[in-house]
Amino acid sequence: MRRDGRGRGVSVAAATALVCALGLSAVPETAYAAPGEPGPAPGPGGGADGGATGGQSLEEVHQEVDGLYRKAESATDAYNLAREKQARQEKAILKIARAVVKAQKEMAGLRKRAGAMARAQYRGGGMPAEARLFLNGDPGEFLDGVTLARKGEKATHGLIGRLERTQAALDRYADSASLEWERLDRSRAKKAAAKKEILGKLARAQRLESRLAKDERERLRQLEEGKARGAQAKWLDTGILRELGSGATAMGGRAVDFARAQLGKNYVWGAVGPDTYDCSGLTQRAWSAAGRAIPRTSQEQWRLLPKVSTKAMRPGDLIIYFRDASHVGMYVGSGAMIHAPRPGRQVTVAGAGSMPILGVVRPDAR
């Protein structure tokens, strides 16, 4: 690190931004062991961490719990996407059903007209109209009859054509409905599988945490925060703060204001407010409040929204985390972001670099 005045200034700015980003005072060092180092003396329960962790170090518990929550969050994206697809497919099936009813009514009317034409021909003795015309001795009536016959023939052909087209439409609707039902079944199956995976991962993580004593749970929280602070400090040491934008657009500012108003609300998987949120539910609702509709899941937000350079990031932009785009937060300035972290946590301010950044998207990009 540089030791000149500029280097000290950057370090001070980084430290200030770090405190602002985390919203925390420095947490004292705790007694848990670093990987590969001897741990503290056994607690009352007999284990190195008080016996509640089943022989695992607190670091190992942290890694397992964090991994389970990350996998559950990734599965939550799959669940939300399947739920959205299911809703769209249900609407498509309803639209097809309405079109079928309309076509069936039209078919009934066409068949009624075709029956009337058949009865009229029967009353005429079954003789073709052309033959009856030639037997007519009145030239005037003959010419009038030719005109009427041509109109009748055109009407007959038109009726037959409409009958054929309507029947073809009904056949297409039947095929489309069958296809949509198959898609709907697949979406339901994916949604059910994702929900099962989520609940399993969440239950496993919660069992691990519930076995911890109260002081161990606090140390686990401190361990998480310490890792986040370390990652944030490393990110700030790159000088990124000199590059980042500080001014939000009017729409971006409204999104940030909404996100700030949700601070302290609980994370609940699949929730989109107003009382609880998951990570992408929070960002979606914030931008909806700002007047811009964005996709529901963090993976879809990453895939579909305009991407910008991390160095060009400004308040209101969404930061997508991890290689699978399974987490998202909203940049709010000064190296900080707001996000809904995971079950058991609340919507909070954190360092924008406290997790591995995949990229940045800008909902109001033009």
Side-chain angles (χ1 to χ4, degrees), residues 71-72 74-75 78 191-203:
K71 289 175 182 176
S74 183
K191 179 180 160 188
K195 183 175 182 178
K196 183 178 180 180
E197 181 181 356
I198 292 162
L199 295 179
K201 296 287 190 296
L202 293 180

Side-chain angles (χ1 to χ4, degrees), residues 20 39 62 259 351:
C20 292
H62 163 68

